[in-house]
Amino acid sequence: MFPRNTKTVGLAVERHIHGRGGVTGGAGLSCYDYVIDDDWTGPAGFVFTTSTGHDVRVYSTIAGAFGHADGLAAISRTAFLICGGAYNEALTANPGHTNSWDIHGMGQSTIWAAIANSQTLWTIGGGDDVVRVRIRDIRFDLGTFTGCTVLGYGVGSTTDVEACDFVTGGSTTSTGIALRSLARLGVHDCKFSGSGNGLKDSVGAGGNVYIDSSQFTCAIGIDVPTIVAGSAIRIGGESKFSCTTNDILVSGDGVSLSIANCDFQKGIATSGATIHNFQAVN
């Protein structure tokens, strides 16, 4: 795909990425530390210098890029561009203490998909609330596989997800985002579809979930068995729930739930639960 001559490969990569619509503006690839492209046939981790003098590493797999960044000493911020293509991977990677990862796809053309049952596409390793992960413009697809999860968490993860599609596939046992152990989750302008759950699992001590401007057309939008006192779920920004089984299902005590300016089809169902500090604004 790219020239083997390393003197010209940098410019070739830049032209290729621009041609696929992945970079706009004068900064171009200088915004990123890693480019992930399933078309890449050169050496894994090849470092090229952009026309603005910025060094970028190129990988053909998400695991390769994340694995390299995972092994680096603590730095303030690392940015990844995942080009359009099909990435069938399940991995664990941890940004590490004090690190921040920004991960950008190319919208519907960047597809991160399951290839087997019981997979978690990305288990974000444990850290603390200094660790931050930001994910945007990626389509996640669990296909026909069962028991799969797109994003899972170690203790204390803090994540913002924006403009992503979570296709939970044909299984009722699959989930877009597992809430367990996270410190903070922000979901902005995302879509959850398929036969599975949008967001599911218990929310740990002090955990907070913020959802706005998102659409849920999956079987169950949000399924929360338990939530520890001091944690909260806040939903707003004209989010829309058109789920086939339950929009929101709460089956454990201690939930602090705030809802503003949202549309529901099935409503909120509780099973032996006590909802504390419930607020609803239309």
Side-chain angles (χ1 to χ4, degrees):
M1 183 66 173
F2 298 108
R4 294 296 184 177
N5 184 337
T6 58
K7 293 182 180 180
T8 60
V9 70
L11 290 175
V13 172
E14 287 194 88
R15 286 195 298 268
H16 175 67
I17 302 304
H18 278 280
R20 297 178 75 168
V23 181
T24 58
L29 287 179
S30 296
C31 298
Y32 300 100
D33 303 293
Y34 293 85
V35 168
I36 303 160
D37 191 334
D38 66 344
D39 280 348
W40 174 249
T41 57
F46 179 84
V47 179
F48 74 91
T49 303
T50 70
S51 56
T52 59
H54 180 70
D55 287 342
V56 180
R57 290 183 179 271
V58 188
Y59 287 85
S60 62
T61 66
I62 298 169
F66 284 13
H68 183 272
D70 196 356
L72 297 177
I75 54 178
S76 59
R77 178 176 179 239
T78 304
F80 304 80
L81 173 65
I82 306 178
C83 297
Y87 302 88
N88 301 316
E89 307 182 44
L91 56 101
T92 297
N94 181 14
H97 180 69
T98 74
N99 282 2
S100 173
W101 282 10
D102 289 331
I103 301 155
H104 296 176
M106 292 186 178
Q108 292 292 314
S109 67
T110 299
I111 303 172
W112 190 345
I115 56 173
N117 295 331
S118 304
Q119 282 190 326
T120 297
L121 299 191
W122 184 15
T123 301
I124 302 174
D128 54 41
D129 59 4
V130 180
V131 177
R132 307 185 71 88
V133 175
R134 301 175 182 89
I135 306 168
R136 64 169 296 133
D137 290 321
I138 297 176
R139 176 182 174 89
F140 299 98
D141 195 336
L142 300 180
T144 60
F145 300 105
T146 62
C148 290
T149 300
V150 173
L151 299 177
Y153 294 92
V155 176
S157 299
T158 299
T159 304
D160 285 288
V161 185
E162 183 176 358
C164 289
D165 281 4
F166 293 81
V167 182
T168 62
S171 172
T172 59
T173 60
S174 290
T175 298
I177 302 176
L179 300 176
R180 183 179 300 170
S181 301
L182 58 83
R184 180 191 181 279
L185 171 67
V187 178
H188 318 283
D189 191 25
C190 290
K191 297 179 181 179
F192 297 82
S193 61
S195 299
N197 309 281
L199 283 69
K200 184 176 181 178
D201 222 330
S202 304
V203 178
N208 289 279
V209 179
Y210 304 88
I211 302 167
D212 66 76
S213 306
S214 295
Q215 299 179 33
F216 296 80
T217 59
C218 46
I220 300 177
I222 303 172
D223 184 354
V224 184
T226 59
I227 185 167
V228 176
S231 299
I233 298 176
R234 297 176 175 86
I235 309 170
E238 299 183 353
S239 293
K240 299 181 184 300
F241 292 78
S242 300
C243 298
T244 56
T245 303
N246 293 110
D247 292 334
I248 299 177
L249 175 61
V250 179
S251 54
D253 286 342
V255 176
S256 178
L257 183 62
S258 175
I259 300 173
N261 300 318
C262 296
D263 291 339
F264 293 91
Q265 178 169 291
K266 296 291 186 179
I268 302 170
T270 62
S271 176
T274 301
I275 299 178
H276 300 284
N277 303 318
F278 176 73
Q279 302 177 50
V281 180
N282 293 320

